[in-house]
Every structure is written in C-alpha cells, then in structure tokens.
Amino acid sequence: MDMQEKITALREELRRHNHNYYVLDKPTISDFEFDMKLKQLQQWEEAYPEYYDPTSPTLRVGGEVTKNFKTVPHETPMYSLDNSYSREEVLEWEKRVQKILGEVSVAYTCELKYDGASISITYENGILQRAVTRGDGVQGDDISANVKTIRSVPLRLQGDYPQKFEIRGEIILPLEGFAKMNEERIEQGEDPYMNPRNTASGSLKLQDSSLVAQRPLDCLMYAIAGSGLKMRTQFEMLEKAREWGFKVPPAAKLCNSLKEVMEFVDHWDVYRHELPYETDGVVIKVNDLRQQEELGYTAKSPRWALAYKFKAEQAATVLREITYQVGRTGAITPVANLEPVLLAGTTVKRASLHNADQIAKLDIRQGDTVFVEKGGEIIPKIVAVDLSKRRKDSEPLAYISHCPECGTPLQRQEGEALHFCPNELGCPPQITGRIQHFISRKAMDIEGLGSETVELLFKEGLIHDYTDLYTLTVAQLLPLERMAQKSAENLVNGVKASREVPFERVLFALGIRYVGETVAKKLARAYKNIDALMEAGEEALMAVDEIGERIAGSVVRFFSEEKNRERVARLKSYGLQFSLSETQLANQTDALKGQTFVVSGVFEKVSRTELKKLIEDNGGKVASSISSKTSYVVAGDRMGPSKKTKAEGLGIPIITETEFLSMLPS
Ligand code: AMP
Ligand code: ZN
C-alpha cells in the first residue's frame, strides 16, 4: 500500500469506529486505541498535506471561526408541526386525513419528538456540504463549521445515497452531557445552564467551532427532502438514512392503525424517562409519501403530520425544607428537600431550585405543597405551588443572608443569578474545594492524594490551604486513620513531584475564577511568568487574544489580594514552576502579534509542527482554515488546492517558507 492508500484506509477505519461509537452506541475498540489511531492519522496528515480531505475524522475538533453566520435559503422549506394534547384531537386529525385522501386505512410512522434545535444538512455526492438552522423556515443561518464537529453527523456517507439531498434532524444535548457541563460550570464559578434545549441551540451559535466540538451534542434525524428520491414512505426514508450512516433513533415505528399509534404514545409516555435525551411528545406522520403530497401543507405546517404532546409528569408533595450548598468558589445553590414521592418511576427526595430569583418568582415557601416535574435536568424541578394547600400562617421565604457553613454575610454581584459567600479563607467547603481543585488531574495532578484525603487532612487540622500541602511530612500523616507508611510516603512524594508541573497548569490550579485550563494556557504564553502577570492591568489583559473584561477583572482582583500574593510567594519558595521553562521561553517574541496564519503544504527548512510553534512563540495565531480573518497563508510544497483557491478568492497573501522566516527577528 502506498501512503495515500494507507491514509485513506485509516480515515475509513476511524470513520467506522466513529459511527459505531456515536451513531450505533456500540464501540468495538477502546477509547485508548481510538485515540492512538487518530494520533497516527494526524501525524500522517501533517507529513502528507497533499492528501488533504475535508471529511477527515481529524477535523472533528473544529477550529474554524465564524464571525457572522451567513443567511441561506432552504431548497425545501422547513415547517413547524401542529400540536395536539389529547386522544380526541388525534382522532379528529385522522378523520380529516381520511376525508382528504378518500381512504379509511392509513398507515403512520411514529417517531419521538426530540427537543433541541432543528437543522437541515445538504449532502452532495455523499459529502456534507452545508448545515443550516431552521430560521424562519424559508431561510436560516449557515452553521456548517459548528455542525461538522458533532460526531454523530457523518461528514461522508456510505451505501447508495442520492446524488444530492437535504436531511433534517434535531440537534440535542443528551441529559448526561448536560449535567456534566453544568457540574463543570458550577465548579468554575459560573451560573449553571437552565435546560438542555436552550443550551443546545446556544452552542450552535458559538463563533469558535472548537468550543462547539467540546460540547457533547448529538444529532437525531427525522426527514429527507430533495427531488428524484426513490423512497416511497416515511419509514423507508428513516431506514435509508440509517444505512447511509445517520443517527435515527430505533424507537421509530410503523403503525398500521390509529390504535397502534395510541399504543406507541402510551408506551413512550411511560418509558420516555429512560431515554438518554429529552422528548416532549410523539410525531405522527402519514407513512405513504404520495399520500403526504396529496395532503399538502397549511401556511405553517404539513397536514400529514401531527405532534402529540405528552403531559409533563408531575407529582405533588410537601417541601420540608430548603437547604443551601456551598461550592468551591463560594457559589450558593438552594436545594429543596421533599417528602419522598414517586415520580416517573423513581422516588424523588430533592429538587433543584436554581437560585433566589427562581424561588421568589414561584413564591415557594417551606411547608408548601408543591408540584414537581421531571424536565430536562436529571434532578426534578419545582414548577408550581398548590396555593389551596398553603397554611394560613405561612410566610414568604427569606433567602439566606449568611453562609450556612461559616456565617459570613452573602454577596451577589450585579447581573449574576447566584449568591456567593465571600469568606474564601474561612469557609470550610471553599477551603477543601479549592484544595481539591488544586490537586485535580488537569491542575497539579498530585499522585497519592484524593478528594477524601483532602477532607480528612483538613478536618485533622493538617492543611488549611493548598500551600500547606508542601510542608506535610510522613510523620504528620502516619497517625491518621487508614494511613499506612506506604500511602503516607506516596502522598509526600506525589506532592514533591508536582513541583515539576508546568507553569500554565500551576496557574490553572491557583483557582482564579473564570481562569480555566485554556485561559491559563493563554495567559502563561502571553505573560511568560507570574510576576509579569501579577503586574498586568485589566486593559493589558484584555489585549490578549480571547481574554474579555470578565476574565481580566477576575485576574486583577485575584492578584490584588494580599493573601493570594502570599500564596504565590509561598509556592514559589517551595520550588513550583512560575514561569515558562527555558525551552518554552527560548525564541519567544511579539513579532507576529495580532496576525493569524494558516499553514499548508510541506516545508524544507522547518517541519510543519516547528513552523506552527514559531508562529505561536512569536505571538502569532495559527488557524486551521482560511477565513477573512487570516493574515497570511504560509504555503509549502504541494499546498492543498482547495486552500489555495480560497486564499486567492479572499485576497489573502500567500507567502513562502523563506518569506515567513524573514518576518521573524534574527
Ligand atoms: P414546533 O417547533 O413545535 O412547531 O415543532 C416542529 C419541530 O419539531 C420541527 O422543526 C423539528 O425540529 C422538531 N422535531 C423533533 N422531532 C421531530 C420528528 N421526529 N419529526 C419531525 N420534527 C421533529
Ligand atoms: Zn461560607
């Protein structure tokens, strides 16, 4: 096999694994093996850019930035659906259908109604061309770059697909992924998202597709549009779509009578709570496409389809007490503790109340009988109060004014939904939370030390701050419960070893609000050492790529506090890394500041990787695809033809390797 064939074969193999994992939910290799293969492909692609393929599995990580989404027309309009809420309404609808068709026996395809953002994706010759939002139904926004990062959306099809067609589906955020995103947000001191649907559509409008790639979005398909298609029924369309590689949920069912339709509805009304995503109903579609055509459309929706909306499953119960949790950043989250009640097959004891505004809006009081509902979140929520059952002596709930853990008066910043306990230094969950963050895998990654041990060490008075970790001794640890000689030594050694952790991760570990992993990396690169960063003002910080007012303010605030400066000084004295290493530092300049480069082709004097590093080390930015924001395309031998056309079209200068190198300070 020559190299081109090898690359093609590996791409094909990875595409299959992607399909097994994200579409069929049946992976056949481990995540590790997959990552290794993907790395191999990345290396080959870097070494042989002439075999560029816009549908390569390596492009799923995104990178393209869209400033303004282009408005484009749909070739076939996207309609909404008529809703129904009762069996009677469904029966009436069938009567109308039968009357127009002049037939009594009509078959239907039943599908779940997925709750997300609708999308129409155009494929030509089996390759994804464009993905457009529903918009007003006639035209929508081109969000192709973002949709291409969704792993269950095939970039290239398999089987006997039509030459050109549009496929419609719903982009959703599965419940588990949504819950995880919220955990991380709370962890980073941000307000949690309210529900999966809005978060899914919000994600699609992010400008930076590499951020979209990090969100666990999924895409479920339900219709195909186009001319000259060979399918005859809705059900066949779904089957075909599956064959070509799309994700079509297996629940879809062909029903030969309205009785079967109602059985489908009844079944899913119960089992929908076991699905990994939200559904708010069933979509009933006349199966035969010729009959669909005959039935046609009203101004806003097809006459051949009807959405049956489930009643949200609710239960009434008594709200015993509202308690408050304090997170690492001091964020307070109110929790409703309920009289246990059976809801959608599980016993519910707790419900989330989000924040003070939410409680005030619903006028929720302790002792109230409340209605709980299972919505998008895994924890159920309170949707209303049964006022008829409210006790006469009930009083409006006064949101806590002081921290339940340490008694400090709470604060709430303007525009923020959550209250915070400002007692960073003395509030126990904040202290342990901060240390737990410090030692976590993406931060200092201290071996031999886990979250529970942190709690124990704090309780025993051995640590009050992450800086204390560095003075722990084996002798201090030994008397602790379940602490053998070996584990004590491991812990101390793990702490010692963490002194080699690079600056950017130390910066992340400090726990500055809004400074996540990526931001820490950017700041480390821009300032090179902690002293320069500590002196930086808000404006200077905001000049750094992707650092906005909120982050800049938080950084300045953090370092303006004496205790944080002391922390840094202490950690410095223990030998932690507070500047980029010699090798990282060597040859760093600002010569290319503000300029964005796209690199394409093979080079003679330096490798592609080196070239990219040179750009970044000199303050420039490397982008993966050409846009109007690109300053230069550095072209080597055998530059990708599509890149060349695009650069020329946008009038972006194409420079050689030598020309590029001459831009660097000598
Ligand atoms: P509505 O927005 O309530 O008018 O409902 C119409 C929308 O439901 C469509 O635009 C689709 O995005 C969405 N939808 C979700 N699941 C399905 C499905 N199985 N079939 C058709 N449309 C669906
Ligand atoms: Zn507190």
Side-chain angles (χ1 to χ4, degrees):
M1 251 201 297
D2 71 10
M3 210 51 221
Q4 184 170 13
E5 286 168 340
K6 271 186 166 160
I7 292 179
T8 310
L10 186 53
R11 280 184 185 140
E12 189 47 44
E13 189 190 341
L14 284 166
R15 202 168 0 256
R16 241 182 16 250
H17 288 309
N18 239 335
H19 184 251
N20 288 341
Y21 187 97
Y22 291 104
V23 177
L24 304 177
D25 284 327
K26 281 192 200 114
T28 54
I29 58 169
S30 69
D31 290 1
F32 178 75
E33 280 172 284
F34 183 87
D35 289 344
M36 288 298 111
K37 283 178 196 284
L38 195 66
K39 276 221 177 79
Q40 170 75 79
L41 179 58
Q42 270 165 341
Q43 278 167 11
W44 283 349
E45 287 185 345
E46 207 159 280
Y48 299 90
E50 64 271 38
Y51 304 136
Y52 176 80
D53 175 354
T55 69
S56 171
T58 54
L59 299 175
R60 295 291 198 176
V61 293
E64 204 170 317
V65 174
T66 322
K67 259 261 159 332
N68 292 303
F69 297 105
K70 220 171 66 199
T71 306
V72 282
H74 295 293
E75 284 192 17
T76 323
M78 291 181 83
Y79 290 91
S80 49
L81 292 168
D82 280 340
N83 288 325
S84 63
Y85 300 88
S86 68
R87 205 165 287 256
E88 290 69 45
E89 284 176 89
V90 181
L91 277 169
E92 275 166 31
W93 172 73
E94 175 173 60
K95 283 211 192 90
R96 279 199 303 276
V97 166
Q98 288 169 331
K99 198 169 150 208
I100 298 176
L101 294 177
E103 274 176 69
V104 188
S105 103
V106 181
Y108 305 94
T109 291
C110 287
E111 293 160 48
L112 295 172
K113 189 167 192 290
Y114 322 114
D115 206 8
S118 24
I119 190 79
S120 179
I121 313 180
T122 306
Y123 285 82
E124 259 179 82
N125 300 315
I127 294 185
L128 189 156
Q129 296 296 330
R130 198 182 325 112
V132 184
T133 62
R134 182 164 85 172
D136 61 5
V138 178
Q139 52 180 30
D141 290 338
D142 183 337
I143 53 166
S144 307
N146 289 344
V147 171
K148 283 182 189 168
T149 68
I150 302 172
R151 308 302 202 268
S152 54
V153 174
L155 301 176
R156 179 189 283 272
L157 305 180
Q158 58 198 35
D160 64 334
Y161 44 79
Q163 194 264 332
K164 183 177 178 186
F165 65 96
E166 284 180 41
I167 185 158
R168 269 88 198 256
E170 196 84 357
I171 292 173
I172 57 148
L173 199 50
L175 294 170
E176 200 186 310
F178 176 72
K180 229 167 101 199
M181 274 175 70
N182 266 349
E183 271 168 34
E184 278 166 23
R185 273 181 80 83
I186 292 173
E187 164 88 354
Q188 307 225 338
E190 316 220 19
D191 291 338
Y193 294 115
M194 286 296 247
N195 68 56
R197 194 224 282 134
N198 293 353
T199 315
S201 34
S203 301
L204 295 173
K205 290 294 175 67
L206 291 172
Q207 293 182 351
D208 183 349
S209 62
S210 61
L211 295 179
V212 185
Q214 290 166 19
R215 304 217 166 158
L217 297 165
D218 205 345
C219 184
L220 310 177
M221 299 301 184
Y222 56 74
I224 298 171
S227 53
L229 301 174
K230 293 206 198 76
M231 290 81 74
R232 294 160 154 233
T233 68
Q234 168 67 17
F235 198 70
E236 200 187 326
M237 286 213 273
L238 298 181
E239 284 179 320
K240 283 287 175 201
R242 265 189 211 115
E243 272 174 42
W244 302 334
F246 294 102
K247 188 161 188 169
V248 178
K253 186 165 183 274
L254 181 58
C255 297
N256 286 309
S257 67
L258 207 64
K259 183 166 162 279
E260 282 178 40
V261 169
M262 290 326 296
E263 281 165 9
F264 183 91
V265 167
D266 290 341
H267 174 84
W268 286 107
D269 198 358
V270 175
Y271 288 95
R272 65 190 157 114
H273 301 291
E274 288 172 21
L275 290 167
Y277 47 82
E278 278 195 294
T279 166
D280 56 350
V282 165
V283 185
I284 311 163
K285 299 172 183 172
V286 169
N287 191 43
D288 190 303
L289 299 184
R290 272 215 308 267
Q291 291 183 334
Q292 284 191 5
E293 210 172 304
E294 226 177 304
L295 288 158
Y297 297 82
T298 66
K300 73 177 243 304
S301 48
R303 286 198 193 85
W304 47 264
L306 183 70
Y308 176 89
K309 293 276 193 126
F310 292 130
K311 273 191 230 29
E313 199 156 335
Q314 286 188 351
T317 188
V318 172
L319 169 62
R320 282 182 180 160
E321 191 195 3
I322 293 177
T323 53
Y324 300 85
Q325 283 173 350
V326 186
R328 149 174 93 81
T329 55
I332 310 287
T333 30
V335 179
N337 295 272
L338 308 166
E339 205 72 66
V341 63
L342 204 63
L343 174 63
T346 51
T347 305
V348 173
K349 296 192 195 100
R350 288 149 60 87
S352 64
L353 290 166
H354 299 296
N355 52 52
D357 293 341
Q358 191 75 3
I359 296 174
K361 202 170 102 194
L362 296 174
D363 185 21
I364 297 171
R365 308 178 183 186
Q366 268 170 179
D368 269 349
T369 296
V370 294
F371 295 108
V372 280
E373 196 174 296
K374 268 222 162 142
E377 296 84 356
I378 288 177
I379 312 177
K381 58 176 179 238
I382 294 180
V383 289
V385 175
D386 186 346
L387 292 174
S388 70
K389 296 224 172 90
R390 178 170 279 172
R391 291 204 320 259
K392 295 235 162 45
D393 57 353
S394 143
E395 293 203 11
L397 183 99
Y399 200 78
I400 47 165
S401 55
H402 292 71
C403 176
E405 302 277 348
C406 71
T408 307
L410 297 180
Q411 292 177 358
R412 187 191 207 180
Q413 241 145 48
E414 205 171 302
E416 277 185 359
L418 298 180
H419 284 74
F420 282 85
C421 165
N423 182 17
E424 270 176 64
L425 288 184
C427 186
Q430 293 192 57
I431 296 172
T432 51
R434 208 159 37 230
I435 304 174
Q436 284 158 344
H437 168 75
F438 184 84
I439 65 162
S440 64
R441 204 171 46 80
K442 287 179 174 170
M444 303 305 283
D445 193 17
I446 295 182
E447 232 173 284
L449 180 59
S451 289
E452 279 170 30
T453 313
V454 168
E455 304 255 355
L456 181 68
L457 294 175
F458 173 70
K459 225 174 61 208
E460 297 294 328
L462 290 178
I463 53 173
H464 289 98
D465 190 80
Y466 46 66
T467 48
D468 298 333
L469 292 171
Y470 291 87
T471 52
L472 282 176
T473 62
V474 173
Q476 276 180 310
L477 296 169
L478 275 179
L480 298 182
E481 214 181 312
R482 271 176 297 149
M483 185 65 81
Q485 177 81 23
K486 186 87 191 137
S487 21
E489 278 170 13
N490 281 348
L491 199 163
V492 172
N493 288 335
V495 169
K496 211 182 266 172
S498 76
R499 292 182 306 196
E500 300 310 316
V501 166
F503 175 41
E504 60 217 43
R505 274 170 53 198
V506 177
L507 191 55
F508 171 57
L510 292 180
I512 307 170
R513 206 167 165 209
Y514 306 132
V515 176
E517 240 188 311
T518 327
V519 171
K521 227 178 248 173
K522 294 230 155 84
L523 291 174
R525 198 169 259 290
Y527 285 92
K528 303 180 178 59
N529 64 63
I530 195 91
D531 299 314
L533 180 62
M534 282 165 76
E535 295 315 313
E538 241 170 88
E539 247 163 68
L541 284 162
M542 280 163 67
V544 178
D545 193 35
E546 278 168 58
I547 306 289
E549 200 178 330
R550 201 179 55 139
I551 299 173
S554 171
V555 171
V556 169
R557 221 173 306 127
F558 185 87
F559 289 118
S560 70
E561 288 176 35
E562 192 47 38
K563 59 172 185 293
N564 289 326
R565 300 178 85 93
E566 264 166 35
R567 274 183 181 141
V568 171
R570 264 187 84 186
L571 293 177
K572 251 188 193 171
S573 75
Y574 300 137
L576 272 71
Q577 304 299 313
F578 276 104
S579 57
L580 295 182
S581 67
E582 290 296 311
T583 32
Q584 275 175 309
L585 262 179
N587 304 319
Q588 290 217 357
T589 74
D590 278 341
L592 306 177
K593 199 168 169 186
Q595 312 202 37
T596 303
F597 293 80
V598 171
V599 175
S600 181
V602 195
F603 301 92
E604 270 168 31
K605 297 183 184 134
V606 289
S607 76
R608 249 167 100 83
T609 321
E610 277 166 342
L611 193 67
K612 286 185 181 173
K613 204 169 158 301
L614 278 173
I615 294 169
E616 286 180 343
D617 286 349
N618 288 287
K621 196 174 156 186
V622 181
S624 57
S625 60
I626 297 169
S627 71
S628 55
K629 287 209 321 196
T630 312
S631 322
Y632 295 98
V633 177
V634 190
D637 207 15
R638 297 177 290 182
M639 170 187 186
S642 63
K643 282 198 175 161
K644 186 154 191 231
T645 325
K646 191 151 184 204
E648 283 166 355
L650 289 168
I652 289 156
I654 303 179
I655 58 173
T656 65
E657 178 183 6
T658 318
E659 282 169 318
F660 168 76
L661 292 173
S662 71
M663 292 167 81
L664 303 177
S666 47

